């Protein structure tokens, strides 16, 4: 009977280990601030939360946006500027990477004109590992801070 008890404990531990799946990267706090001019690009912010191993965000797309680009704002010599990020954004294991005002962000060009502030759009994230995630971002008015 003792061997049976030990086998049951071993099986229980093994099943528990199988049920505990390693976490994957996630996207939290996604929001899109609409441009005041509908012909200008809108801007998106979110936080990437790294999983158990290093990865790299390659692209963000949306079925209701013509083009999405990864960008970064910076200040050089007292002048603010912005440039596209080539090659994606590193996501180290177990680390948060924030896409926020004054830093990394996404530029969304030509959002479907039928969409209005208060609605939500889907954002699709593609990583170098092959992982693909979806997040839903509420549309906010130009000039709002969140």
């Amino acid at each position: 009977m003792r061997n049976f008890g030990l086998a049951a404990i071993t099986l229980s531990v093994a099943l528990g280990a199988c049920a505990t799946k390693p976490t994957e990267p996630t996207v939290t706090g996604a929001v899109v601030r609409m441009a005041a001019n509908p012909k200008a690009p809108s801007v998106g912010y979110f936080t990437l939360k790294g999983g158990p191993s290093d990865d790299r965000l390659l692209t963000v797309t949306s079925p209701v946006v013509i083009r999405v680009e990864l960008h970064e704002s910076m200040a050089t010599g007292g002048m603010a500027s912005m440039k596209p990020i080539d090659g994606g954004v590193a996501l180290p294991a177990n680390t948060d990477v924030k896409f926020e005002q004054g830093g990394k962000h996404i530029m969304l060009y030509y959002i479907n004109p039928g969409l209005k502030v208060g609605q939500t759009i889907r954002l699709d994230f593609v990583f170098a590992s092959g992982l693909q995630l979806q997040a839903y971002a509420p549309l906010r008015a130009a000039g709002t801070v969140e």
Side-chain angles (χ1 to χ4, degrees), residues 40-129:
S42 297
V43 64
Y45 305 114
F46 50 87
T47 298
L48 294 176
K49 296 185 171 287
S53 55
D54 293 348
D55 209 339
R56 176 171 291 278
L57 175 65
L58 298 178
T59 62
V60 179
T61 61
S62 175
V64 295
V65 178
I66 298 295
R67 185 174 86 238
V68 180
E69 294 179 359
L70 302 172
H71 276 236
E72 186 163 19
S73 297
M74 62 212 66
T76 308
M79 297 292 293
S81 64
M82 176 180 63
K83 68 175 186 170
I85 299 172
D86 294 324
V89 174
L91 180 59
N94 303 309
T95 301
D96 289 356
V97 175
K98 293 184 180 281
F99 282 63
E100 59 191 351
Q101 188 170 351
K104 293 175 182 60
H105 57 278
I106 57 173
M107 299 299 295
L108 300 95
Y109 295 85
Y110 310 108
I111 293 177
N112 181 320
L115 294 170
K116 304 295 179 212
V117 169
Q119 293 181 297
T120 301
I121 66 169
R122 189 180 87 206
L123 299 174
D124 299 321
F125 297 78
V126 178
F127 294 84
S129 66

Side-chain angles (χ1 to χ4, degrees), residues 129-144:
S129 66
L131 177 68
Q132 296 183 17
L133 297 175
Q134 290 182 348
Y136 291 86
L139 300 175
R140 302 285 187 234
T144 58

Side-chain angles (χ1 to χ4, degrees), residues 1-15:
M1 194 64 145
R2 215 178 228 177
N3 288 342
F4 179 72
L6 182 58
I9 291 171
T10 303
L11 179 60
S12 174
V13 169
L15 288 174

